[in-house]
Amino acid sequence: MVILKGAEVSAKIKAQVEEKLKHIEGPAPKLAIVRVGEKPDDMSYERGAKKKLESFGLRAESYVFPADIENGAFQKAFRQINEDPEVTGILLLRPLPGQICEKDIEKQIDPKKDLDGISPENIAKVFAGDETGFAPCTAEAVIQVLKANAIPISGKRVTIVGRSMVVGKPLSMLMLKENATVTVCHTKTVDLKETCRNAEILVAAAGKARMLNGEYVGPEAVVIDVGINVDENGKLCGDVDFDSIQEQASCATPVPGGVGAVTTAVLASHLVQACERNRWSV
């Protein structure tokens, strides 16, 4: 089984970003990372994103708010970030605490700065196949991994386990745009194993540690693991039991070191695109 490492894909995206940056005058594009509270997974992603963007020659600044901030106060603060001309793009770490109306933020965020595809306008564009909208970074990262490794998508049977708006649903639209035949599975899917075994490309995005093992993988299938979980031993793992699929799968992404590494590279690419689309380039 071939291991599809994210670092190689990330390096290709970095080269593309650096080439585009040569044609941008003035300060480098700036990302605003908005975090509410001190959740370890949010803080880990924030650190990784800032490190990646800075290595690409981009700027990133964190805007951190207490977990108990009132809805009105957060809405006001977010509006100021959203309207700041120095901010090229925004990454909002979700989910937000219960007292904050997340739907209001999704409606408020400027679609041109919405790098992770949470605004109604960008979601609609993704579902319409309009490339001027930003797709969620993780969903796009899956496509980038496949293309960078010259894995055909057109005409292939693709099964996605998970139907969230973060990965499953938008990824199904991106796969359809690439002319794949797509099946989306969820908790109500009957005979999940057989459905997964029928896939030529299997994407695990269920959010459950090692949920899919070798019994779910058909011969020579390509397995893309989007999951980021912590197991009972405190070890980072994906939604796929990686060791158990090696005799079945033709290739697979590891966790860590797979899709996650590409997701932050896509974020960097989106930031430069946002700069270009706002005519801040020459």
Side-chain angles (χ1 to χ4, degrees):
M1 184 184 77
V2 176
I3 299 176
L4 306 175
K5 295 183 179 179
E8 297 169 6
V9 185
S10 178
K12 292 180 180 180
I13 297 173
K14 181 179 181 181
Q16 295 167 0
V17 167
E18 289 175 339
E19 181 61 31
K20 289 182 177 181
L21 281 176
K22 293 177 183 178
H23 304 286
I24 294 177
E25 292 185 338
K30 176 182 174 181
L31 173 69
I33 303 176
V34 181
R35 170 167 57 85
V36 181
E38 307 289 327
K39 289 186 290 186
D41 51 345
D42 281 354
M43 295 170 71
S44 175
Y45 185 73
E46 176 187 343
R47 286 192 298 270
K50 290 182 76 171
K51 184 178 179 180
K52 178 65 69 72
L53 264 70
E54 288 166 2
S55 75
F56 279 33
L58 301 165
R59 295 183 294 157
E61 182 177 342
S62 296
Y63 296 77
V64 181
F65 302 92
D68 60 353
I69 187 172
E70 293 181 353
N71 180 56
F74 180 73
Q75 299 279 348
K76 181 179 179 181
F78 187 84
R79 190 175 304 112
Q80 292 175 337
I81 298 167
N82 197 35
E83 295 173 355
D84 185 348
E86 276 292 303
V87 172
T88 315
I90 298 172
L91 174 65
L92 175 65
L93 299 180
R94 301 182 297 163
L96 297 172
Q99 79 275 10
I100 297 175
C101 182
E102 199 164 304
K103 288 295 181 184
D104 285 348
I105 296 296
E106 292 170 0
K107 293 174 183 176
Q108 183 186 143
I109 191 170
D110 183 346
K112 295 183 180 67
K113 296 184 178 184
D114 169 31
L115 304 188
D116 205 23
I118 68 172
S119 69
E121 182 174 324
N122 278 329
I123 291 170
K125 285 184 174 182
V126 170
F127 275 69
D130 184 342
E131 294 184 359
T132 64
F134 290 117
C137 294
T138 302
E140 188 172 323
V142 172
I143 302 294
Q144 293 288 348
V145 168
L146 294 170
K147 288 187 173 181
N149 287 281
I151 296 171
I153 304 174
S154 180
K156 298 298 182 180
R157 298 187 304 275
V158 175
T159 295
I160 303 168
V161 182
R163 54 178 170 178
S164 74
M165 285 301 296
V166 177
V167 183
K169 289 179 180 177
L171 178 57
S172 69
M173 295 298 106
L174 297 181
M175 287 290 190
L176 286 171
K177 193 171 187 299
E178 297 293 333
N179 298 312
T181 299
V182 183
T183 300
V184 179
C185 297
H186 44 79
T187 54
K188 302 299 183 183
T189 298
V190 177
D191 201 356
L192 179 61
K193 285 184 181 180
E194 184 60 32
T195 302
C196 291
R197 276 197 298 264
N198 188 52
E200 294 171 285
I201 300 174
L202 176 62
V203 182
K208 187 175 180 181
R210 300 192 181 95
M211 174 183 172
L212 306 182
N213 56 34
E215 296 179 3
Y216 291 78
V217 179
E220 298 302 304
V222 175
V223 180
I224 307 295
D225 192 351
V226 177
I228 298 290
N229 309 287
V230 178
D231 65 15
E232 62 276 6
N233 299 316
K235 184 180 178 181
L236 198 65
C237 67
D239 289 358
V240 176
D241 184 352
F242 195 76
D243 293 338
S244 75
I245 69 168
Q246 298 197 26
E247 291 187 6
Q248 291 288 98
S250 62
C251 53
T253 58
V255 176
V259 174
V262 183
T263 297
T264 48
V266 169
L267 176 66
S269 178
H270 283 185
L271 183 62
V272 174
Q273 289 177 50
C275 183
E276 292 174 328
R277 290 174 185 178
N278 282 296
R279 301 174 183 259
W280 295 348
S281 57
V282 293

